Amino acid sequence: RLSAPGYPSPFAGDGLTMAPPLNSGADDEEDDWGCLLEADLEADLLECEESVAAGQQTFAAKPAAIGSGAATAEDRLREALKKSPAASAGAAFNADVFFAAPRTLQEIAAELQELLVEVDTLRFERASLMASLTHGPLRPPTAPATDGAVGATAVDNSPFVKPPPLDLNPPAGAGGLADYQRQLEVMPRVLFIERRLKLCMGDVDKYQDSKDISRDALVVNGAALSGAKGGYSAAVDAIASGLSASESGQSLAWQAEATERAAQLLLSVLNRTSSGFAAFEEVLRLFDCPDAVIISPDSAAARPLEAVVLGGCAMGRAHTRYVVRHMDGGGEPLAVVDTEFAFRVSTDSLRKLAESRPNSEASWPSEEISAAILLRRSA
């Protein structure tokens, strides 16, 4: 409704000046209203609509400008190159080559990261198969349970290869849902993320590990067991048996309780509290944008924990899955992220870490090893 006489117009400042001043007399007000024509109303309304439309166009242009910051910077640099002394002298300079080089290097780095993920996945699968043939359920009844029986001593115990650096712009830093989806689209789908893992008997929490394994499943050298049935002791015994079988015939004998402690140490870094935290930390770092999305674990899709002990090497792998959805939780997932926390350590290092201390006052030794998060993203 238009304002009544004696009150300011709600459209003041927007081109509609139909309301008379507050201090005008009654006669002037009646004259103003009496002289107001339909054409005047239409002209004022048209002017108001044009102002609103112009404001909407300006507002709509802002997100595009925010998302095109990199392109704008590149355009400015191109203009600067055109004004350089070399360009002014007429020298030929192909700016496209200048900008294509870093993009090509990024693409090569992304492909190398994907290759590293596949190599380490195949390495674990090979070791798991060989352990099943040597010590696990696939071992022939008449075959000796020694690593050399199937050439298992060829297991690679070298540290993880350091991946090439990637100049990532993760969607976690997006300014909204549209910006998040744009950054998600250009982000590599496979990543090899290096981590450091501390091994120390002093950090083992048997109570927490017992709770974790009771809700999980474990595969040791191809043999599966349920934590809900056997519990913590069955899981420790399975890993300890794998360690004993792998070290049979070796010149350095383990202390009586060292094998059990080494198994407890392996289980503590493999359990969800440790491996799941490391994986979730990386997923949040890359994908968490509270203003646009929510991230939740898909616990039902997690595969069993896996441990392989073969050829003087102990390997662990823990898979978890996370789902990225719109902030309201509805609709199809924006992304499904599968992660594998993987590590490997020599059994000789485990033996040294698990041997008895000189006295109860001495601290347990520790060692930091290389680990990795193997990340795969699907839409």
Side-chain angles (χ1 to χ4, degrees), residues 8-349:
S9 168
F11 302 104
D14 290 324
L16 295 180
T17 56
M18 296 172 290
L22 287 174
N23 295 327
S24 299
D27 294 339
D28 294 336
E29 293 171 356
E30 292 177 359
D31 291 342
D32 289 339
W33 281 102
C35 296
L36 191 63
L37 302 176
E38 184 179 352
D40 297 328
L41 279 174
E42 291 179 353
D44 287 339
L45 289 172
L46 179 61
E47 184 178 352
C48 180
E49 290 174 355
E50 290 175 350
S51 299
V52 171
Q56 289 176 339
Q57 291 176 358
T58 302
F59 180 79
K62 287 183 179 179
I66 293 173
S68 60
T72 302
E74 181 176 322
D75 291 340
R76 289 199 301 267
L77 188 53
R78 286 180 182 274
E79 290 298 323
L81 290 172
K82 290 178 181 178
K83 297 176 183 178
S84 65
S88 301
F93 180 79
N94 189 352
D96 291 335
V97 175
F98 179 81
F99 291 104
R103 295 196 192 101
T104 303
L105 290 176
Q106 279 288 98
E107 292 171 0
I108 293 174
E111 291 176 359
L112 287 176
Q113 290 232 351
E114 184 173 355
L115 181 60
L116 281 177
V117 169
E118 296 304 322
V119 166
D120 275 280
T121 299
L122 291 174
R123 177 183 291 176
F124 190 96
E125 297 293 346
R126 172 184 178 273
S128 180
L129 176 60
M130 296 182 71
S132 297
L133 291 169
T134 308
H135 308 297
L138 298 182
R139 181 171 68 89
T142 57
T146 60
D147 286 350
V150 292
T153 51
V155 172
D156 186 2
N157 190 31
S158 60
F160 289 95
V161 178
K162 188 175 179 63
L166 268 177
D167 186 16
L168 287 177
N169 184 23
L177 181 60
D179 192 25
Y180 187 96
Q181 291 175 306
R182 282 194 295 270
Q183 295 186 28
L184 187 66
E185 183 65 27
V186 299
M187 182 179 178
R189 290 185 173 269
V190 181
L191 291 174
F192 184 104
I193 304 170
E194 188 181 25
R195 298 277 297 196
R196 301 300 298 173
L197 178 62
K198 179 186 176 184
L199 299 177
C200 180
M201 277 302 302
D203 296 335
V204 174
D205 186 344
K206 297 179 184 178
Y207 176 75
Q208 183 61 50
D209 293 343
S210 179
K211 287 176 58 179
D212 283 355
I213 199 62
S214 67
R215 301 186 294 262
D216 221 319
L218 177 67
V219 177
V220 181
N221 287 347
L225 62 95
S226 171
K229 295 180 179 179
Y232 180 72
S233 59
V236 171
D237 289 345
I239 298 176
S241 297
L243 287 168
S244 299
S246 179
E247 292 298 305
S248 61
Q250 300 295 323
S251 57
L252 293 176
W254 287 56
Q255 293 180 356
E257 298 179 354
T259 305
E260 181 180 357
R261 284 196 291 264
Q264 293 172 347
L265 180 57
L266 273 178
L267 189 60
S268 71
V269 296
L270 187 59
N271 266 344
R272 302 292 178 185
T273 296
S274 175
S275 61
F277 173 80
F280 197 32
E281 188 177 47
E282 293 297 338
V283 170
L284 291 178
R285 180 179 67 85
L286 295 171
F287 298 98
D288 187 32
C289 182
D291 294 335
V293 300
I294 56 173
I295 300 176
S296 59
D298 186 359
S299 301
R303 298 194 296 266
L305 304 173
E306 298 174 89
V308 171
V309 186
L310 188 69
C313 177
M315 308 172 71
R317 183 170 68 174
H319 166 265
T320 48
R321 175 175 291 177
Y322 304 91
V323 181
V324 182
R325 296 184 181 275
H326 293 87
M327 189 170 57
D328 60 6
E332 293 296 320
L334 295 173
V336 176
V337 183
D338 286 280
T339 65
E340 292 177 359
F341 175 82
F343 66 89
R344 50 180 177 267
V345 58
S346 69
T347 54
D348 185 53
S349 293

